[in-house]
Amino acid sequence: MNLEELLKIESKLSAQKKLILNLIVTANRVNEELAEILKPFDISSQQFNVLRILRGQKGKPANLSTIQERMVNKMSNTTRLVDKLIDKKLCERIVCPANRRKVEITISENGLKLLSEIDPLVESFENSYAGKLSEEELNNLNIKLNELRS
Amino acid sequence: MNLEELLKIESKLSAQKKLILNLIVTANRVNEELAEILKPFDISSQQFNVLRILRGQKGKPANLSTIQERMVNKMSNTTRLVDKLIDKKLCERIVCPANRRKVEITISENGLKLLSEIDPLVESFENSYAGKLSEEELNNLNIKLNELRS
DNA sequence: GAGATTCATTTGTCTAAACAACATTTGTAT
DNA sequence: ATACAAATGTTGTTTAGACAAATGAATCTC
């Protein structure tokens, strides 16, 4: 369905306006669907994102600024986000011995286990969602999106 | 900058995974920039969105469910969002005389004036942001995004 | 026309986000 | 050494979001 229909917009929008709206609306839907997938596991998409970043460290601990830099949506309060994960025993935090201002955050066994349960569900969503386009179209789309962010 | 660089992801992602991340990251940046533009006017992007919907009614009042249906990000609490706009005297709400369950919400003169101040700023952002791509690329991108949402 | 049902919105509550202020540790220049 | 600035996180506060329950008005059924 095109944007004008979807949002019941009567006037004709410029391609530029449409792009901005399209990006926001499309990403919102994706976020909603991801949240739905994660809900049974009692974890928000932000928390899921942090867990995946921690796993990507491959055992090496991460500090808060590293996590923040890699998060898809930079949010201000990474401390409390990590607090939640610790409450759920999905990760651990110790004060960095070399520099006591820093903290070292690592994913726990529980966290890894949870991710391994969620992974296939998310992947299957990604594939079915993106499956509406061919591999070539996807590559092209990714390139254009990269250009937009430049 | 491509996604892997941006998020410091070492492993190679599938085009499908990349698309999902790209959509989320790109839309987030757009939202941040829009919020930045709106900040001096002391209005959130949700509130701005509602105001534009009301203006689109061309004098015809809108009720809450109409607004909700047209919002780019469906959020649950349109009542309180409209409350904020009323506090700022940007719109008005009366009980619908024909059906007293409904409310009739209209944009005020103030609201129209505010929009007319903000419009050129948003438009100039839209044009400069989307200006990285040609008109043809934009049209193609819009089509693909529509297909993704189908 | 009394009571159930549906509709449209509001309210309550709990959790998360934005933003600023604060605290602690480290680095640097004198 | 000492004082000052920068780096790194944490906490506090205010505002917004999610979701469910509640309210009040209209409609439907018998």
Side-chain angles (χ1 to χ4, degrees):
Chain A
M1 204 198 266
N2 74 34
L3 263 187
E4 284 95 338
E5 288 167 2
L6 186 65
L7 303 177
K8 311 260 167 33
I9 295 171
E10 285 156 34
S11 51
K12 192 76 193 126
L13 300 175
S14 70
Q16 289 78 12
K17 272 197 167 3
K18 265 197 264 191
L19 176 70
I20 302 292
L21 275 177
N22 243 333
L23 283 172
I24 295 175
V25 172
T26 310
N28 276 338
R29 297 301 154 83
V30 168
N31 276 322
E32 281 165 19
E33 299 215 43
L34 283 176
E36 206 57 40
I37 292 173
L38 295 176
K39 201 191 286 180
F41 300 95
D42 210 6
I43 188 177
S44 71
S45 58
Q46 301 261 32
Q47 292 171 13
F48 179 60
N49 188 216
V50 170
L51 275 187
R52 285 202 295 190
I53 291 167
L54 291 175
R55 177 173 60 181
Q57 292 288 99
K58 309 214 169 58
K60 212 176 57 175
N63 55 41
L64 275 181
S65 51
T66 305
I67 293 175
Q68 209 150 14
E69 162 183 83
R70 300 184 186 187
M71 281 173 67
V72 292
N73 26 354
K74 318 266 172 242
M75 77 144 211
S76 47
N77 224 329
T78 316
T79 298
R80 282 188 275 232
L81 195 43
V82 170
D83 286 347
K84 305 270 164 54
L85 292 173
I86 291 173
D87 286 349
K88 297 178 191 167
K89 311 233 185 300
L90 299 173
C91 73
E92 284 146 21
R93 170 171 49 194
I94 62 169
V95 173
C96 170
N99 182 343
R100 290 179 30 225
R101 283 173 302 186
K102 294 190 183 184
V103 292
E104 293 187 334
I105 301 157
T106 49
I107 189 168
S108 70
E109 278 305 316
N110 272 336
L112 287 169
K113 183 156 155 294
L114 182 65
L115 280 187
S116 73
E117 286 176 52
I118 297 176
D119 278 338
L121 299 178
V122 169
E123 190 153 340
S124 120
F125 163 70
E126 289 163 345
N127 290 337
S128 84
Y129 192 84
K132 294 154 199 155
L133 302 180
S134 73
E135 196 82 12
E136 193 189 332
E137 287 174 315
L138 285 180
N139 288 333
N140 181 50
L141 201 43
N142 279 321
I143 290 170
K144 299 302 179 210
L145 290 173
N146 289 344
E147 286 177 21
L148 278 177
R149 281 201 318 279
S150 302
Chain B
M1 203 200 267
N2 74 35
L3 263 186
E4 283 95 338
E5 288 168 3
L6 186 65
L7 303 178
K8 311 260 168 29
I9 294 170
E10 286 156 32
S11 51
K12 192 78 191 125
L13 299 175
S14 71
Q16 289 78 10
K17 271 195 168 4
K18 264 196 265 191
L19 176 70
I20 301 292
L21 275 177
N22 244 331
L23 283 172
I24 295 174
V25 172
T26 309
N28 277 337
R29 296 301 154 84
V30 168
N31 276 322
E32 282 165 19
E33 299 215 43
L34 284 176
E36 205 58 40
I37 293 173
L38 297 176
K39 202 191 289 179
F41 300 94
D42 210 5
I43 189 177
S44 72
S45 58
Q46 301 260 32
Q47 292 171 14
F48 179 60
N49 188 215
V50 171
L51 275 187
R52 286 201 293 189
I53 291 167
L54 291 175
R55 178 176 57 183
Q57 291 289 99
K58 309 211 168 65
K60 212 176 56 175
N63 55 39
L64 277 180
S65 49
T66 305
I67 294 174
Q68 208 151 14
E69 164 184 81
R70 300 184 186 188
M71 281 174 67
V72 292
N73 27 355
K74 317 268 171 241
M75 79 145 209
S76 46
N77 226 327
T78 315
T79 297
R80 281 189 275 234
L81 195 41
V82 170
D83 286 346
K84 305 272 163 53
L85 292 174
I86 292 174
D87 286 350
K88 297 178 192 168
K89 312 229 185 300
L90 299 173
C91 73
E92 283 145 19
R93 171 171 49 194
I94 61 168
V95 174
C96 172
N99 183 342
R100 294 188 18 234
R101 284 172 300 186
K102 295 192 185 182
V103 293
E104 293 188 335
I105 301 157
T106 48
I107 188 167
S108 70
E109 279 305 316
N110 272 335
L112 287 169
K113 184 157 155 293
L114 182 65
L115 280 186
S116 74
E117 287 177 50
I118 298 176
D119 277 339
L121 300 177
V122 169
E123 189 153 339
S124 120
F125 162 70
E126 289 164 344
N127 290 336
S128 82
Y129 192 86
K132 296 154 198 155
L133 301 180
S134 73
E135 196 82 9
E136 192 190 332
E137 287 174 315
L138 285 180
N139 289 332
N140 181 52
L141 201 43
N142 279 321
I143 290 170
K144 299 301 180 211
L145 290 172
N146 289 344
E147 286 178 21
L148 277 178
R149 280 201 318 278
S150 304

